[in-house]
Amino acid sequence: MDFLSDFLTRFLDKLQSPTLGFLIGGMVVAAVNSRLQIPDAIYKFIVFMLLIKVGLSGGIAIRNANLAEMLLPALFAAIVGILIVFIARNTLARLPKVKTVDAIATGGLFGAVSGSTLAAGLTMLESEGMQYEAWAAALYPFMDIPALVTAIVLASIYTGKQKSLSQQESLSKQESLSKQESLSKQPVAAGGYPSEQEYPTTRQEYLSQQRGTVDTRVKIWPIVKDSLQGSALSALLLGLALGILTQPESVYESFFNPLFRGLLSILMLVMGMEAWARIGELRKVAQWYAVYAVVAPLLHGLIGFGLGMVAHYTTGFSPGGVVILSVIAASSSDISGPPTLRAGIPKANPSAYIGSSTAVGTPIALAVGIPLFIGLAQTLMGGG
Amino acid sequence: MDFLSDFLTRFLDKLQSPTLGFLIGGMVVAAVNSRLQIPDAIYKFIVFMLLIKVGLSGGIAIRNANLAEMLLPALFAAIVGILIVFIARNTLARLPKVKTVDAIATGGLFGAVSGSTLAAGLTMLESEGMQYEAWAAALYPFMDIPALVTAIVLASIYTGKQKSLSQQESLSKQESLSKQESLSKQPVAAGGYPSEQEYPTTRQEYLSQQRGTVDTRVKIWPIVKDSLQGSALSALLLGLALGILTQPESVYESFFNPLFRGLLSILMLVMGMEAWARIGELRKVAQWYAVYAVVAPLLHGLIGFGLGMVAHYTTGFSPGGVVILSVIAASSSDISGPPTLRAGIPKANPSAYIGSSTAVGTPIALAVGIPLFIGLAQTLMGGG
Amino acid sequence: MDFLSDFLTRFLDKLQSPTLGFLIGGMVVAAVNSRLQIPDAIYKFIVFMLLIKVGLSGGIAIRNANLAEMLLPALFAAIVGILIVFIARNTLARLPKVKTVDAIATGGLFGAVSGSTLAAGLTMLESEGMQYEAWAAALYPFMDIPALVTAIVLASIYTGKQKSLSQQESLSKQESLSKQESLSKQPVAAGGYPSEQEYPTTRQEYLSQQRGTVDTRVKIWPIVKDSLQGSALSALLLGLALGILTQPESVYESFFNPLFRGLLSILMLVMGMEAWARIGELRKVAQWYAVYAVVAPLLHGLIGFGLGMVAHYTTGFSPGGVVILSVIAASSSDISGPPTLRAGIPKANPSAYIGSSTAVGTPIALAVGIPLFIGLAQTLMGGG
């Protein structure tokens, strides 16, 4: 009981941070139909400023870091990114009125990482005085890219299979009705690791799976490239490169670092307003998305937390680092992810994945997730 | 004579402040047709930053304040706001070539409050080292909303009466000519307090007045709501709420407060440019608007100053607070007011009220009003 | 050899500055087709912030300065500005496939001054701890305006002459063929100083030359005015005026100065992205532009450096001041110049002059020029 009351005290304390205040303030502003707006140019610039700052501080730290330490957390980040998509594929996608491609795309967005959520997590860690490996922010792409790639690949396998199924159906009709029956009973998909049941029963299906795999292989590099070209990841990597290759300490200390906390508070305001504005989009799609969007960030964060603790006990990954891994696992992409998904899974309905992510997922990750993971880390590992 | 020379020295000294330098610089830049521009997104963001800062500092202070002290100044603020509209109704509206609805709308805008002028006043008070109640900035809505509501109500009563008069005229023509004569001799308006002459002489007029009142009552809430939803008031109230409910001290001290003075200087530049650009609009309307726009800010400010001094001697309202009450009385709304008026008094000509306010009223309030009120307060109450 | 190795060490050291890192980072970002963008409103505001800061610091310093010292450097600045255009007229314009008006316009743009390059130069001087006269930044218009005026005048003389030549040709055809032959042998141009050969051989040519001169005289004031109205020069002059006439020290120290270095780093990023994006335009024009754009900034800078050293030894112009004169000589206008040229020399192809300047000239001036001039000054005059 001591553990629980200790945790609850810490958790409730964190809920009153000004960062969350701005997020909730933004929701209220949008809810009362205020004409208050943060211009889009300012919003984009703030995101850039935050991510280049995160990159710069990471890059400066990496210069003196032992990068071998990064291996296990980076591997775990990639595993979490991929796992999140498969979870969506096997839970959300199977719910009534949920279209499979929409669910896969939503999983991809929840697996991808939000720079703003990461920035909020870093700020709250610093407020708490919790140490973390400066390269921990560089785990971002290791989770972001695998998640988006997995989602797009799964969706194209699924769509390819659907096509071949319908082709087959038309063929089967002319050939044999019994075959068609056995096929229609067969469950569709399960994504990537063909199980026994899914083993191709016809040469045609086998070929189309093969073709799917071949197509998929061809498409992975463009997805990776598209992710890296996204504005968020570009800003982060640019900051990392500048931090490693030049000596940006003076401009970092005099400009990027002092503005960070203030710009983040304004970004939280915008995200609150945006979340409220997107609630409407969620109503257009099945209500299961809302359930998923509430549960998923916390579940994903806890998976990240668990793997982070493994790294903590095996390689000495810091409690702050474990929180960062949980936060990027809990976050869902708000800037870079949607355009990549729109291009990669054109059949998916953006209302489904953007609505779930921006209107519910991100606020939950920010307002519940971050305090939860920090509270857990402090209680379990005493990191602060 | 000592009093006067003392006052004049203080007044002239204040005229050389950099804040006013930027205002005049903006006018010069616009006057020489420079292509220098501050992008609109930056302008809007600066206004947001200034008002949320004013709100935050007010909110932080209110937490420990005795709000009973605020009652009298808030009441005086509301009285000034309403009074300003009636003054315009009984002076400007009666001048030749001035349309009554235009005059009422102009009075409403001059009664409403400018966040930028308030911010400039606060900065100058701080430069002078004058103390003021931190909640004084929160007097803003207590003057702003009553002024806008009064203007819209007066205008709708006037327009309603005009309509019923013209209806009556057409009726009268068919009924009796004598009645019509007595009506046309009767002076129109005087706004809200029906004098003896205006007492309904016919049942029809009585009914239409009644109807006017009923309509008016129905419309007040939408006007209040529209004011509160305006971007300026929203930002101020959001800052207040965050200041009261969260602990934003760290982000306030590291971000909003240090940037305040610099952002204000840029805003002054924009307002100077804007003022010059709007001079043209004033030429489209009767020249009496220019006279009103020069005299009104100082007159309104002095009314505010007088009521503020009453509060000073009765409840100990600080000299700095008296200056703030004068400044918000002298200011005329530049951001939130115009859209509310455009919606509330659609028949009024925006060139009249925006031209008077932006091109003349605001520069006068900033460049003459603020130094005048600070100088007066220092001379009369020794507040600094 | 000591001299050379000393210089090379200093030069290479400067190449690793974060300012250049951001420039190169911007090029890389653009080269990999990243979607990262700095919104245009932010870019314009940053340029404004940098130039008003440069102006303010200059203006504050000028208040206590002996302006007689400024005379010789200002004269040299004007000479360099004019000379650069004549150099382009007599080198670039004579190269194959290069149109004369395009070459004159390009010379004008390279003679004009870039506020961003100037700001980068000032920052690097400060990092090196090199002193400079605060009014040195005020040399900007003394070079910028003469260069643009010279270019537009030369271009209009050239175009005028072309026109009168073709008119004459049609006239001559009807009058005498021998005359036409003598004319066509005559070399066109040589810009401004009519040599013996160019002495009018016909009354008509004489008249047209006269007219050209008259037209030119008439047009100079509009060009000067247009330059002064440009956003960059306006911001600089506004800052100067505010620095001289008001006391902006507090807002300068709390706002404009601390943000300078950080905003400059972001501007460098934008300029790198812009440079890469404009490379394509250079391909549309003769490759000689690329050669000119590499050589010209360094050559112009060295001319400025030489004249600056004359001022150093005669009137004690500081080594830092010599570097500033070189930097503004090496720089080519990126904001104000192009619109002035587009209006002044409408026949010139913007791809030629903007491509040369933005894609090659500015990066060379920033990345090679500034370190080169600082290294030279430190080696030759020991200024640091």
Side-chain angles (χ1 to χ4, degrees):
Chain A
M1 283 308 286
D2 257 11
F3 167 83
L4 197 65
S5 74
D6 187 24
F7 164 73
L8 278 178
T9 316
R10 290 172 190 274
F11 177 65
L12 289 172
D13 184 51
K14 262 124 223 139
L15 276 180
Q16 288 162 359
S17 88
T19 307
L20 298 185
F22 278 88
L23 180 78
I24 294 160
M27 289 181 174
V28 173
V29 161
V32 301
N33 280 317
S34 162
R35 290 190 295 274
L36 177 63
Q37 278 187 318
I38 305 295
D40 194 53
I42 303 290
Y43 164 67
K44 283 185 181 146
F45 182 62
I46 289 177
V47 171
F48 163 78
M49 286 287 289
L50 296 181
L51 287 172
I52 202 162
K53 185 267 176 189
V54 169
L56 282 171
S57 68
I60 291 171
I62 282 175
R63 262 191 268 146
N64 309 311
N66 174 7
L67 284 191
E69 285 176 7
M70 203 177 157
L71 279 179
L72 194 64
L75 178 69
F76 284 162
I79 289 175
V80 173
I82 294 168
L83 197 59
I84 289 172
V85 187
F86 280 102
I87 292 173
R89 180 71 189 83
N90 288 294
T91 58
L92 182 60
R94 296 184 187 284
L95 291 168
K97 290 188 190 171
V98 171
K99 284 188 194 161
T100 306
V101 275
D102 293 358
I104 295 172
T106 306
L109 209 59
F110 275 73
V113 177
S114 153
S116 332
T117 309
L118 171 60
L122 295 177
T123 305
M124 239 181 271
L125 276 179
E126 277 158 32
S127 306
E128 295 289 316
M130 282 182 82
Q131 300 292 315
Y132 57 88
E133 289 81 2
W135 48 255
L139 295 175
Y140 182 140
F142 290 94
M143 189 182 296
D144 193 69
I145 294 174
L148 292 171
V149 169
T150 308
I152 296 173
V153 170
L154 278 196
S156 89
I157 289 173
Y158 173 78
T159 336
K161 205 176 283 170
Q162 286 293 91
K163 245 183 235 155
S164 72
L165 276 177
S166 59
Q167 282 171 357
Q168 252 172 331
E169 273 173 38
S170 38
L171 284 171
S172 314
K173 267 179 198 161
Q174 298 158 353
E175 290 173 8
S176 82
L177 280 160
S178 61
K179 217 180 224 171
Q180 200 197 339
E181 269 172 25
S182 76
L183 265 167
S184 58
K185 275 174 203 154
Q186 218 182 293
V188 178
Y193 300 121
S195 62
E196 258 176 309
Q197 307 158 273
E198 276 187 315
Y199 210 77
T201 49
T202 62
R203 199 183 148 271
Q204 240 170 352
E205 197 184 345
Y206 179 72
L207 275 177
S208 81
Q209 266 195 8
Q210 286 291 89
R211 214 188 313 129
T213 323
V214 172
D215 285 347
T216 299
R217 267 191 205 135
V218 171
K219 278 177 202 149
I220 285 176
W221 172 236
I223 307 169
V224 174
K225 209 176 129 211
D226 198 60
S227 289
L228 292 170
Q229 285 169 343
S231 55
L233 211 41
S234 291
L236 186 82
L237 294 175
L238 174 67
L240 268 176
L242 289 171
I244 296 172
L245 301 173
T246 68
Q247 261 124 44
E249 276 85 351
S250 68
V251 72
Y252 174 80
E253 290 302 335
S254 69
F255 185 71
F256 293 101
N257 198 29
L259 291 176
F260 186 69
R261 188 181 283 252
L263 292 176
L264 180 70
S265 68
I266 294 170
L267 185 64
M268 288 296 113
L269 189 68
V270 178
M271 292 177 80
M273 290 159 74
E274 188 74 2
W276 194 267
R278 296 281 187 176
I279 280 281
E281 301 208 18
L282 257 194
R283 291 206 196 99
K284 293 183 207 152
V285 293
Q287 58 190 0
W288 284 113
Y289 285 99
V291 177
Y292 173 81
V294 169
V295 175
L298 304 179
L299 175 67
H300 301 160
L302 290 174
I303 295 172
F305 196 91
L307 288 175
M309 281 193 61
V310 172
H312 174 66
Y313 288 116
T314 53
T315 64
F317 193 39
S318 72
V322 174
V323 172
I324 291 173
L325 186 61
S326 322
V327 169
I328 62 177
S331 79
S332 50
S333 179
D334 39 21
I335 304 165
S336 303
T340 303
L341 285 178
R342 207 167 285 196
I345 316 181
K347 287 190 176 175
N349 175 4
S351 290
Y353 54 82
I354 298 178
S356 315
S357 164
T358 308
V360 181
T362 296
I364 292 283
L366 286 165
V368 185
I370 299 176
L372 172 71
F373 309 134
I374 293 182
L376 272 182
Q378 288 173 336
T379 315
L380 295 176
M381 292 176 281
Chain B
M1 282 310 286
D2 256 11
F3 167 83
L4 198 65
S5 74
D6 187 23
F7 165 71
L8 278 178
T9 317
R10 288 171 191 275
F11 177 65
L12 290 173
D13 184 52
K14 262 123 223 140
L15 277 181
Q16 290 162 358
S17 88
T19 306
L20 298 186
F22 277 88
L23 181 78
I24 294 161
M27 289 180 173
V28 172
V29 160
V32 302
N33 279 316
S34 162
R35 290 190 295 274
L36 178 65
Q37 277 187 319
I38 305 295
D40 196 51
I42 302 291
Y43 165 68
K44 282 187 180 144
F45 182 61
I46 289 177
V47 171
F48 162 78
M49 286 287 288
L50 296 181
L51 287 171
I52 203 163
K53 185 266 178 191
V54 168
L56 282 171
S57 67
I60 291 170
I62 282 174
R63 263 191 266 147
N64 308 312
N66 174 7
L67 283 190
E69 285 176 9
M70 204 176 156
L71 279 178
L72 195 64
L75 178 69
F76 285 164
I79 290 175
V80 174
I82 294 167
L83 198 59
I84 287 172
V85 186
F86 280 102
I87 292 173
R89 180 70 188 81
N90 288 294
T91 57
L92 182 61
R94 295 185 187 285
L95 292 168
K97 291 189 186 169
V98 172
K99 284 189 194 158
T100 306
V101 276
D102 292 0
I104 295 173
T106 307
L109 209 58
F110 275 75
V113 177
S114 153
S116 331
T117 309
L118 171 60
L122 295 176
T123 305
M124 240 181 271
L125 277 178
E126 278 159 30
S127 306
E128 295 290 317
M130 282 182 82
Q131 299 292 316
Y132 57 88
E133 288 80 3
W135 47 256
L139 295 175
Y140 182 139
F142 290 93
M143 190 182 295
D144 193 69
I145 294 174
L148 292 170
V149 169
T150 308
I152 295 173
V153 170
L154 278 195
S156 90
I157 289 173
Y158 173 78
T159 335
K161 205 176 282 171
Q162 286 293 91
K163 245 183 231 157
S164 71
L165 277 177
S166 59
Q167 281 171 357
Q168 251 171 334
E169 275 173 37
S170 40
L171 283 171
S172 312
K173 267 179 197 158
Q174 298 159 351
E175 289 174 7
S176 81
L177 280 159
S178 59
K179 217 178 221 171
Q180 200 198 338
E181 268 171 26
S182 76
L183 265 168
S184 56
K185 274 172 205 158
Q186 220 182 292
V188 179
Y193 300 122
S195 63
E196 259 176 308
Q197 303 159 276
E198 275 188 314
Y199 209 78
T201 49
T202 63
R203 201 183 148 272
Q204 240 169 352
E205 197 184 345
Y206 179 73
L207 276 177
S208 81
Q209 267 195 6
Q210 287 291 90
R211 214 188 313 128
T213 324
V214 171
D215 284 348
T216 299
R217 270 193 202 132
V218 171
K219 278 177 203 150
I220 285 176
W221 172 237
I223 308 169
V224 174
K225 209 178 129 209
D226 198 60
S227 290
L228 292 169
Q229 286 170 340
S231 54
L233 211 42
S234 290
L236 187 82
L237 295 174
L238 174 67
L240 268 175
L242 289 172
I244 295 171
L245 301 174
T246 69
Q247 263 125 43
E249 277 84 352
S250 67
V251 73
Y252 174 80
E253 291 301 335
S254 68
F255 186 70
F256 293 101
N257 198 29
L259 291 176
F260 186 68
R261 188 181 282 254
L263 293 176
L264 180 70
S265 68
I266 294 170
L267 185 64
M268 288 296 113
L269 188 69
V270 178
M271 293 178 79
M273 292 160 73
E274 189 73 0
W276 193 268
R278 294 284 187 173
I279 279 281
E281 301 207 17
L282 257 195
R283 290 205 197 101
K284 293 183 205 152
V285 293
Q287 58 190 2
W288 284 113
Y289 284 99
V291 177
Y292 173 81
V294 169
V295 176
L298 304 179
L299 176 67
H300 301 159
L302 290 174
I303 294 172
F305 197 91
L307 288 174
M309 280 192 61
V310 172
H312 174 65
Y313 288 116
T314 54
T315 65
F317 194 39
S318 71
V322 175
V323 171
I324 291 173
L325 187 60
S326 321
V327 168
I328 63 177
S331 79
S332 49
S333 178
D334 39 21
I335 304 165
S336 303
T340 303
L341 285 177
R342 207 168 284 197
I345 316 182
K347 287 189 175 175
N349 175 3
S351 290
Y353 55 83
I354 298 177
S356 316
S357 164
T358 308
V360 181
T362 296
I364 292 282
L366 286 165
V368 186
I370 298 175
L372 173 70
F373 309 134
I374 293 181
L376 272 182
Q378 288 173 336
T379 315
L380 294 176
M381 293 174 280
Chain C
M1 284 309 287
D2 257 9
F3 166 83
L4 197 65
S5 74
D6 188 23
F7 164 73
L8 279 178
T9 316
R10 289 171 190 274
F11 177 65
L12 289 174
D13 184 51
K14 261 125 223 135
L15 277 180
Q16 288 162 359
S17 88
T19 307
L20 298 186
F22 277 88
L23 181 78
I24 295 162
M27 289 180 174
V28 173
V29 161
V32 300
N33 280 316
S34 162
R35 290 190 296 274
L36 177 64
Q37 277 186 320
I38 305 295
D40 196 50
I42 302 292
Y43 165 68
K44 283 185 180 146
F45 182 61
I46 289 177
V47 171
F48 163 78
M49 286 286 289
L50 296 181
L51 287 171
I52 203 162
K53 185 269 177 187
V54 168
L56 282 171
S57 67
I60 291 171
I62 282 175
R63 262 191 267 148
N64 309 312
N66 174 8
L67 283 192
E69 285 176 7
M70 203 177 157
L71 279 178
L72 195 64
L75 179 69
F76 284 163
I79 290 175
V80 173
I82 294 168
L83 198 59
I84 288 172
V85 186
F86 280 102
I87 291 172
R89 180 71 187 82
N90 287 294
T91 57
L92 181 60
R94 294 183 188 286
L95 291 169
K97 291 191 187 168
V98 172
K99 282 189 194 161
T100 306
V101 277
D102 292 359
I104 295 173
T106 307
L109 209 60
F110 276 74
V113 176
S114 153
S116 331
T117 310
L118 170 60
L122 296 176
T123 304
M124 239 182 271
L125 277 178
E126 277 158 32
S127 305
E128 295 290 316
M130 282 182 83
Q131 299 292 315
Y132 57 88
E133 289 80 3
W135 48 257
L139 296 174
Y140 181 139
F142 290 94
M143 189 182 293
D144 193 68
I145 295 175
L148 292 170
V149 169
T150 308
I152 295 172
V153 170
L154 278 195
S156 89
I157 288 173
Y158 172 78
T159 336
K161 205 177 277 169
Q162 287 293 91
K163 245 183 233 154
S164 71
L165 277 176
S166 59
Q167 280 170 358
Q168 252 172 333
E169 274 174 37
S170 38
L171 283 172
S172 314
K173 268 181 197 158
Q174 296 158 353
E175 289 172 7
S176 81
L177 281 162
S178 60
K179 219 179 221 169
Q180 200 198 339
E181 270 171 24
S182 76
L183 267 168
S184 58
K185 275 173 205 155
Q186 220 182 292
V188 178
Y193 300 122
S195 62
E196 258 175 310
Q197 304 159 275
E198 276 188 316
Y199 208 77
T201 49
T202 63
R203 200 183 149 270
Q204 242 169 349
E205 196 184 347
Y206 177 74
L207 276 177
S208 81
Q209 265 194 8
Q210 287 292 88
R211 216 188 312 126
T213 324
V214 171
D215 283 348
T216 298
R217 269 192 202 133
V218 170
K219 277 178 204 147
I220 285 176
W221 172 237
I223 306 169
V224 174
K225 211 177 126 210
D226 198 61
S227 289
L228 292 170
Q229 286 170 341
S231 55
L233 211 39
S234 291
L236 186 81
L237 294 175
L238 174 68
L240 268 174
L242 289 171
I244 295 172
L245 300 173
T246 68
Q247 262 125 44
E249 276 85 352
S250 67
V251 73
Y252 174 80
E253 290 302 334
S254 68
F255 185 70
F256 292 103
N257 198 29
L259 291 176
F260 187 69
R261 187 181 281 254
L263 292 176
L264 180 70
S265 69
I266 294 170
L267 185 64
M268 289 296 112
L269 189 67
V270 178
M271 293 178 79
M273 290 159 74
E274 188 73 0
W276 193 268
R278 295 285 186 173
I279 280 281
E281 301 207 17
L282 257 194
R283 290 206 197 98
K284 294 183 204 152
V285 293
Q287 59 190 1
W288 284 112
Y289 284 99
V291 177
Y292 173 81
V294 169
V295 176
L298 304 179
L299 176 67
H300 301 161
L302 290 175
I303 294 173
F305 197 91
L307 289 174
M309 280 194 61
V310 172
H312 175 66
Y313 287 116
T314 54
T315 64
F317 193 40
S318 72
V322 174
V323 171
I324 291 173
L325 188 60
S326 321
V327 168
I328 62 177
S331 79
S332 49
S333 178
D334 38 22
I335 304 164
S336 304
T340 304
L341 286 177
R342 208 168 284 197
I345 317 182
K347 287 189 174 175
N349 175 3
S351 289
Y353 56 82
I354 298 179
S356 316
S357 164
T358 308
V360 181
T362 296
I364 291 284
L366 285 165
V368 186
I370 298 176
L372 172 71
F373 309 135
I374 294 182
L376 272 181
Q378 287 173 336
T379 315
L380 295 175
M381 292 175 283

